[in-house]
Amino acid sequence: MSTPPQLLIALQSGEPAYPALEYGISLAGLFRSPVTLLGVSKTGTAPRLEALIASARQQLEAEDIDVQIVQSTGSFEKALLGCLEDRPAALSLFSDLHRPVWGRFVRVGRFRRLMEVVPSPMMRIQTPCLPPRSILVCSGGLAYSIPLERLSIQVAAAASARITFFHVVEPVTLEYPLAREVRDHWGELLKTDTPQSRHLQRALQEAQAANVEARVLVRHGPLIHELFAEIREGGYDLVAVGSTYSSHSLRHLTRPNVAVLVAASFDCPVLTARGRLSDSYG
């Protein structure tokens, strides 16, 4: 099992609540990994935020967790990117301003912008859902999903949570042999000799090696419809979704930004991580 990532908890002054701070402290206790507390104020001092960060530092140090504090002013996005320069593999945790339901898509504007520029994993926390007991990992069945799956397994192992590796077989738009095989046998996908089946089997093996209870769930239909239905029905504490920016081709311009849509529609924590087609479980 790889070493848990360093945590970067990013907080901005003026927010009425800081669920990312609560979640990050809990995750640090599970991971036992170093933490950077980033406090961003728009212009000058922010007494309430500074007091919260000082209290969090005391709490983490009392648990023998290494803590660094970074103070910044101005743009939240620029401050986060600047902080990540020295921590390129850190998992960034942040929350957004609480707004009415009609403002959901406005609320995740920050998440959308950060996904474009931040190559490292991120977690948006609106409601902490602690401790995480059930994790849904939306797997594309290809190597792009591997960093997301591995990070989700780390969280599940630390929190004694269950993982559901979720795969949607979408309606076939191009008629070629592999697509037809997956479509015709989606109900027993793990029994087929396809790249998706081999990938999901390996994800299960990785989870089992980490002593994580895991299963594979396959649904057939439009991706967003089936994913949203599963989130509503499953009562998950954390939803992990791959980044649309994993691909460097023009594909991300024609596909929906699933992570942003999930964050706009549900209040549970949303984890995303970029991958590459060259990634491997080997």
Side-chain angles (χ1 to χ4, degrees):
M1 195 73 178
S2 56
T3 303
Q6 179 179 354
L7 302 180
L8 197 169
I9 306 173
L11 310 167
Q12 185 173 18
S13 63
E15 295 192 5
Y18 294 94
L21 184 60
E22 178 184 355
Y23 200 96
I25 291 173
S26 176
L27 202 58
L30 295 173
F31 276 168
R32 313 303 304 175
S33 56
V35 174
T36 298
L37 296 171
L38 170 63
V40 184
S41 57
K42 293 183 178 180
T43 54
T45 60
R48 176 172 175 266
L49 178 59
E50 292 170 3
L52 282 171
I53 289 177
S55 175
R57 180 177 189 170
Q58 291 180 351
Q59 185 175 343
L60 290 165
E61 288 180 341
E63 298 183 27
D64 294 323
I65 295 173
D66 183 49
V67 183
Q68 289 185 323
I69 293 179
V70 177
Q71 300 283 359
S72 182
T73 57
S75 164
F76 179 86
E77 288 83 356
K78 289 182 179 179
L80 179 58
L81 286 172
C83 199
L84 284 170
E85 288 180 0
D86 298 326
R87 308 162 180 83
L91 168 59
S92 301
L93 297 92
F94 65 94
S95 51
D96 284 308
L97 293 170
H98 288 269
R99 292 192 174 102
V101 173
W102 58 264
R104 283 181 182 270
F105 281 92
V106 176
R107 187 178 70 192
V108 297
R110 176 193 291 175
F111 192 17
R112 184 186 297 106
R113 293 193 301 271
L114 289 175
M115 286 190 69
E116 295 178 11
V117 296
V118 176
S120 52
M122 298 187 299
M123 188 183 296
R124 191 278 280 172
I125 298 100
Q126 196 69 22
T127 301
C129 299
L130 290 168
R133 293 303 183 208
S134 182
I135 301 173
L136 182 71
V137 181
C138 186
S139 172
L142 297 173
Y144 289 126
S145 304
I146 290 176
L148 180 73
E149 291 163 355
R150 279 185 160 157
L151 184 53
S152 300
I153 290 171
Q154 287 181 326
V155 175
S160 300
R162 307 181 301 276
I163 280 186
T164 296
F165 294 110
F166 181 68
H167 183 71
V168 176
V169 176
E170 298 184 81
V172 173
T173 55
L174 296 175
E175 283 289 334
Y176 56 95
L178 177 58
R180 287 198 299 270
E181 181 179 3
V182 171
R183 176 199 62 193
D184 295 342
H185 301 281
W186 71 267
E188 48 185 19
L189 182 63
L190 291 183
K191 297 180 181 179
T192 65
D193 184 21
T194 59
Q196 292 87 346
S197 173
R198 292 191 291 272
H199 176 93
L200 291 167
Q201 292 280 12
R202 190 58 191 272
L204 281 176
Q205 292 171 9
E206 287 282 314
Q208 291 164 0
N211 295 316
V212 171
E213 179 185 346
R215 63 167 182 159
V216 170
L217 177 63
V218 180
R219 294 177 71 142
H220 177 56
L223 172 60
I224 299 300
H225 178 273
E226 296 301 325
L227 175 59
F228 279 26
E230 180 58 31
I231 295 173
R232 293 189 188 98
E233 296 166 10
Y236 297 97
D237 301 313
L238 173 64
V239 176
V241 187
S243 171
T244 187
Y245 297 97
S246 294
S247 173
H248 293 288
S249 68
L250 296 178
R251 185 172 181 267
H252 71 273
L253 298 177
T254 60
R255 297 282 291 174
N257 192 326
V258 180
V260 168
L261 291 175
V262 171
S265 304
F266 300 94
D267 283 336
C268 60
V270 177
L271 171 66
T272 187
R274 291 192 188 186
R276 300 180 301 272
L277 198 56
S278 59
D279 287 334
S280 169
Y281 270 123

